[in-house]
Amino acid sequence: MGLVGWIANNKLDIDSNVYADDTFGAGLASESEYYSPYDEFFPAEQAQTLDLWDSICLNHEREKQLNGAILVVVGIEVDSDAMTFTMPESKRAELLAGVLDFCHVPPGGRRHPLKVFQRLGGWVNWSFNVYPLLKPALCHVYEKMKGKSNGDAAIFVNRGVVRDLEWFANHVKNSTGVHLLESLDWEPADADVVAFCDASLKGLGFYIPAADIAFQSLPPSSGPSDRIFYYEAFCVCWCLHQIAALVRDSGKIKVRKITIWTDSSNTYDIFNTLRAKPLYNEILKSAVDVLIANEFKLRVQLLPGKKNVVADALSRWRNDLALASHPNLEIYDSCVLPNIPLPPRDTLGAEEK
């Protein structure tokens, strides 16, 4: 079906998607075409797809040719009018039971074959269609599978795997199971809050230019003392926590979209993919907790270090330089950092910076 889908998209300009043996797409209700073998009208591109299948003698059955405003696609209910993806309650209950059973570790430990890890990973990955923010849940699962190919080889379930999957299960349990499709293509300048972050081995700093406020702190005492990337990522997460606190304390500020600028390409990457090595995964999970609790939409953007003058000065405790660039800045340095634990030691291994 993959080749047939490629022909449809690239040779016949039919906008369709293929997943395993399912073909699906979207079209306007006002655009339909008559398909004579079934003696009825179909959405235009569905009728064209059926014509393609006929031309290559690919058999199909009428009862499987579905269309409508609400359809189940790869097990998820897609509502094109409400613009939602919904996981049926039975599927959600089954997913939760499977995840919790997988990560239940009795005294003496527990091991699963690699193929069971892979199956669990695929199942949870499927759920990201509805829960896209929960991608950090598979960090330690992927780490345990890395470099292994024998499907029957037994792999221990460690504390990192359990912690990630229980975090995932807790969010799924407390969710509605509905993902509202919203525009992802908004400009950084359209955000309700725009902040600039930076970190050094001496400290963390960020500021919100429109509000003339800045925050700085010593590095987190619980973090590694020599990993600047950890501090850069931590600073973005701290900024998000602080914005949530400001919104909560004001009681009247409404914030939906947040743009945070960083000069760390690694930080930019992990926040835009929601995937990181175990050392940094707790930072992502903490940030996701804030996003979900406050219904924030976050964009982390990358800028050259030479343009991040104020945040850089704040992170190095050069407040004179920060004020020289932004004279009206009010700087707060008695800040409480979020409590972000390091991963369990049995999951760290040899980490790259």
Side-chain angles (χ1 to χ4, degrees):
M1 288 303 292
L3 177 58
V4 176
W6 183 89
I7 294 171
N9 287 315
N10 295 281
K11 297 299 183 180
L12 301 178
D13 200 27
I14 300 173
D15 187 13
S16 64
N17 301 281
V18 176
Y19 183 88
D21 59 352
D22 286 335
T23 299
F24 57 93
L28 297 175
S30 58
E31 297 178 356
S32 62
E33 290 185 8
Y34 180 70
Y35 178 67
S36 57
Y38 291 149
D39 191 25
E40 62 182 286
F41 284 87
F42 284 85
E45 293 191 337
Q46 187 174 21
Q48 293 163 17
T49 298
L50 293 172
D51 285 334
L52 168 62
W53 292 353
D54 291 341
S55 70
I56 60 175
C57 300
L58 185 63
N59 294 330
H60 51 85
E61 301 171 0
R62 171 62 190 91
E63 57 267 26
K64 293 185 178 180
Q65 314 314 316
L66 306 176
N67 59 74
I70 302 176
L71 286 180
V72 175
V73 180
V74 294
I76 293 171
E77 184 180 278
V78 180
D79 188 327
S80 58
D81 288 339
M83 295 294 287
T84 57
F85 286 174
T86 302
M87 183 179 293
E89 184 56 39
S90 60
K91 295 282 188 183
R92 186 159 64 125
E94 186 181 354
L95 173 66
L96 278 171
V99 167
L100 293 175
D101 177 69
F102 180 92
C103 64
H104 172 68
V105 180
R110 187 176 189 183
R111 296 188 294 178
H112 293 297
L114 172 62
K115 59 188 177 185
V116 174
F117 267 81
Q118 292 170 330
R119 188 181 307 128
L120 185 281
W123 196 3
V124 173
N125 198 63
W126 162 79
S127 77
F128 295 156
N129 288 293
V130 177
Y131 306 111
L133 290 176
L134 300 186
K135 291 176 183 176
L138 288 179
C139 172
H140 286 88
V141 170
Y142 288 147
E143 193 71 14
K144 293 293 287 185
M145 294 192 299
K146 186 170 65 177
K148 299 177 176 66
S149 58
N150 182 355
D152 294 319
I155 303 173
F156 273 106
V157 177
N158 64 18
R159 287 178 291 171
V161 169
V162 172
R163 182 187 286 182
D164 284 354
L165 292 179
E166 287 182 343
W167 173 81
F168 169 84
N170 184 60
H171 276 297
V172 171
K173 190 185 308 180
N174 293 316
S175 76
T176 62
V178 179
H179 174 50
L180 178 63
L181 301 177
E182 299 177 286
S183 174
L184 299 178
D185 188 22
W186 49 277
E187 295 298 321
D190 295 335
D192 302 305
V193 177
V194 177
F196 292 78
C197 290
D198 206 356
S200 71
L201 294 179
K202 295 181 179 179
L204 316 176
F206 75 88
Y207 80 114
I208 303 173
D212 292 329
I213 55 174
F215 299 84
Q216 61 187 169
S217 172
L218 293 171
S221 58
S222 61
S225 61
D226 60 344
R227 298 181 190 270
I228 186 61
F229 171 29
Y230 184 89
Y231 293 161
E232 295 273 13
F234 192 104
C235 189
V236 169
C237 182
W238 170 44
C239 177
L240 196 57
H241 276 266
Q242 197 66 50
I243 291 171
L246 291 171
V247 172
R248 183 176 61 250
D249 293 345
S250 75
K252 55 185 178 181
I253 300 175
K254 291 185 178 181
V255 171
R256 179 72 167 164
K257 298 176 181 177
I258 299 171
T259 294
I260 298 178
W261 291 89
T262 177
D263 56 23
S264 165
S265 60
N266 287 330
T267 298
Y268 169 83
D269 287 341
I270 69 169
F271 275 94
N272 280 280
T273 62
L274 291 178
R275 300 195 188 281
K277 289 182 176 293
L279 179 59
Y280 314 105
N281 199 53
E282 293 296 328
I283 294 174
L284 287 183
K285 286 159 61 180
S286 181
V288 168
D289 289 342
V290 175
L291 295 177
I292 292 175
N294 296 276
E295 298 184 347
F296 289 158
K297 301 297 179 185
L298 175 66
R299 293 282 295 276
V300 174
Q301 297 290 109
L302 185 65
L303 83 164
K306 62 183 179 181
K307 292 187 176 181
N308 204 17
V309 176
V310 175
D312 176 74
L314 291 167
S315 73
R316 299 177 188 279
W317 301 91
R318 291 298 307 273
N319 293 358
D320 56 326
L321 297 179
L323 291 169
S325 295
H326 199 109
N328 297 325
L329 205 58
E330 187 172 358
I331 302 173
Y332 296 88
D333 59 8
S334 299
C335 304
V336 178
L337 296 177
N339 181 22
I340 301 176
L342 289 174
R345 293 202 62 81
D346 65 357
T347 70
L348 279 174
E351 277 289 334
E352 298 176 4
K353 290 187 180 180

